[in-house]
Amino acid sequence: VRTQTLFIPPHLIYRTELMKNTPAVYAALFLGVLAISTSAIFVKFADAPSSAIAFYRLGITALVLLPFLLFSRKRLREAASLSKKQFLLIACSGILLGVHYVMWFESLRYTSIASSIVLVCLQPLFSLVFALLLFREVPRKSAVVGCLVSISGCVIIGMTDFQIGGMALFGDILAFLAAGVVALYFIAGQAVRKTTGAVTYTVFSYGIGTAFLLVYALLRGDALSGFSLSTWAALFGLALVATVGGQFLFNILLKRVSATAVTMSILGEPVGTCILAYFIFGDVVSLQQFAGICVILTGLAIYFLYPALAKRTLENGN
């Protein structure tokens, strides 16, 4: 007997964003978002060029994870058996992540932080479109609604500081493109993680991204040394907390959830950042920010919780 969920044919239902062990997946996504929410905090403490921050963020992370590859026979065999297609996808993902950081950090030179963050938060929309075009994955209506609601929450948080025109427009374009690039990064990661372990994928991907950023920094003539101890502490914090605890955790989850689910969960980053800024810097959460946070959480609830609630309602109805 063929069943039909929410009047959507089974073959058109978007690949399960949350697989089995939903509570564990929820917990992992929450921890990843909490970790990655520290990014802006560490960047604020890092007195270094944007290219250097991105270079050390990926480079330190790759070095930290490298022993887990080198001292594992299974992972070494896996690395040695990578096909050309797998390696090209891994290389592309690393370069895409490096390009994303470059575009995002450069956008902050020309436009406001709020404008940049709001535009980068468009990445779930890009993920939905890329998943449809590349994998023929048709999104659920609730997924699209949840995505749009959460993005509107990001807009509410940053709309008073939104800038259009002049060089700010150039910065906005860079941030918009950065959203598309990072969505492609997660799409590539989703494809690679079907056959490749998280450690192997991350070490090679981040290593190649680090090499790309090194070339970029050298071409720009940006300093890669001579920083203060507080800046080095911020760089290591950015790598160990935000990247290992956040980005790497998302790489692990890409084998169980879709790239869109990961990019959607990252929309919780502004919420986490606002909360951390309150406790660390004493920044007061304004009424507008609180409203935006509530809207973001509503969108995330629609995206993540609605399918389970609908399924339970359908089962109870039967």
Side-chain angles (χ1 to χ4, degrees), residues 74-91:
K74 180 181 177 181
R75 294 189 181 110
L76 285 176
R77 287 196 299 268
E78 179 183 54
S81 63
L82 288 174
S83 66
K84 288 183 179 180
K85 181 180 179 180
Q86 287 174 309
F87 187 79
L88 284 175
L89 276 174
I90 292 173

Side-chain angles (χ1 to χ4, degrees), residues 77-295:
R77 287 196 299 268
E78 179 183 54
S81 63
L82 288 174
S83 66
K84 288 183 179 180
K85 181 180 179 180
Q86 287 174 309
F87 187 79
L88 284 175
L89 276 174
I90 292 173
C92 285
S93 70
I95 293 173
L96 285 170
L97 187 58
V99 170
H100 163 71
Y101 284 140
V102 168
M103 284 185 168
W104 185 29
F105 289 148
E106 284 300 310
S107 74
L108 295 173
R109 295 176 180 269
Y110 302 100
T111 191
S112 67
I113 294 176
S115 296
S116 180
I117 290 176
V118 168
L119 289 167
V120 168
C121 281
L122 294 175
Q123 54 187 279
L125 284 181
F126 281 102
S127 293
L128 287 173
V129 173
F130 292 148
L132 177 62
L133 295 177
L134 298 175
F135 303 136
R136 298 184 181 277
E137 294 177 347
V138 179
R140 295 175 284 101
K141 289 182 180 179
S142 61
V144 177
V145 172
C147 179
L148 293 176
V149 170
S150 289
I151 290 174
S152 66
C154 295
V155 173
I156 291 173
I157 289 177
M159 65 182 178
T160 57
D161 198 28
F162 202 80
Q163 300 178 15
I164 298 177
M167 294 307 294
L169 179 61
F170 176 67
D172 292 339
I173 292 173
L174 285 177
F176 179 78
L177 293 175
V181 170
V182 78
L184 277 176
Y185 159 74
F186 280 116
I187 289 291
Q190 177 182 324
V192 173
R193 286 286 289 116
K194 290 179 180 179
T195 56
T196 309
V199 172
T200 303
Y201 163 63
T202 304
V203 169
F204 278 93
S205 176
Y206 285 16
I208 293 170
T210 301
F212 167 79
L213 290 167
L214 175 62
V215 173
Y216 175 76
L218 292 176
L219 289 176
R220 285 180 53 88
D222 291 337
L224 294 174
S225 61
F227 307 134
S228 65
L229 287 177
S230 60
T231 293
W232 282 115
L235 292 174
F236 274 91
L238 186 63
L240 299 178
V241 179
T243 314
V244 174
Q247 202 87 39
F248 176 60
L249 182 55
F250 291 142
N251 287 346
I252 294 175
L253 291 172
L254 280 173
K255 193 163 187 174
R256 301 189 59 83
V257 302
S258 69
T260 305
V262 171
T263 55
M264 268 298 297
S265 67
I266 293 176
L267 288 185
E269 181 180 351
V271 178
T273 301
C274 286
I275 295 173
L276 289 173
Y278 171 77
F279 285 106
I280 296 175
F281 300 114
D283 291 352
V284 178
V285 178
S286 67
L287 181 61
Q288 177 181 319
Q289 288 175 320
F290 180 76
I293 288 173
C294 291
V295 173

